[in-house]
Amino acid sequence: MTTSASVPTASENATAGSGTVTDRLVDANARYAADFTDPGMDARPVLHVAVVACMDARLDLHAALGLELGDCHTIRNAGGVVTDDVIRSLTISQRKLGTRSIVLIHHTGCGLESLTEDFRTELEAEVGQRPAWAVESFRDVDQDVRQSMQRVRTSPFLPHTDDVRGFVFDVKTGLLREIDPA
């Protein structure tokens, strides 16, 4: 399998070794913008759904879920964990932008399974300040999906918690496995 990072573009071949990854992204944006036409979309997702998922680069959520631009809100973080900031985003998504459904997606082989809260102690020793945030590491991906569903369903800020479903994405097969909330 190749990725965009492993396939040089014509301009990369011409300037091999020069510039940064950010320069490459800015150049790609200039090419994109040259043919860009305002799709005239509203910020409200067409499917009235918000997807919370891990930031793992192996998850192409739009392709995996058959989504198009404008279909959903996508909220990503390390582990796809429902944190206070995720609740903030979901609250805005529901209360101001009309979403009604929430899909939570964790995945196999997540890096958070190999971390512990000791990571915060290590950071404190290195930089002299303890992070205010929790690592939110876990050992059991299914249980962490259940915990995330529970956090969503019990949030007083979210008015629509009837359609909250959680899944584990298998990074080897591309399939979703639904997690029973019980």
Side-chain angles (χ1 to χ4, degrees), residues 103-163:
V103 174
L104 306 172
I105 301 177
H106 287 36
H107 66 92
T108 58
C110 185
L112 282 187
E113 291 176 286
S114 63
L115 286 177
T116 67
E117 291 298 321
D118 290 340
F119 181 65
R120 294 173 68 215
T121 304
E122 295 165 9
L123 282 172
E124 182 179 22
E126 180 182 331
V127 303
Q129 181 177 344
R130 188 168 186 83
W133 39 263
V135 175
E136 297 277 357
S137 60
F138 53 87
R139 296 282 175 251
D140 182 337
V141 68
D142 290 18
Q143 185 56 35
D144 201 63
V145 171
R146 284 186 197 95
Q147 176 177 299
S148 291
M149 285 189 283
Q150 184 65 18
R151 286 179 177 175
V152 168
R153 288 187 172 128
T154 59
S155 173
F157 307 110
L158 299 172
H160 307 288
T161 59
D162 292 339
D163 189 12

Side-chain angles (χ1 to χ4, degrees), residues 4-24:
S4 61
S6 62
V7 180
T9 64
S11 64
E12 286 177 324
N13 286 335
T15 60
S18 67
T20 65
V21 171
T22 304
D23 293 332
R24 176 179 169 201

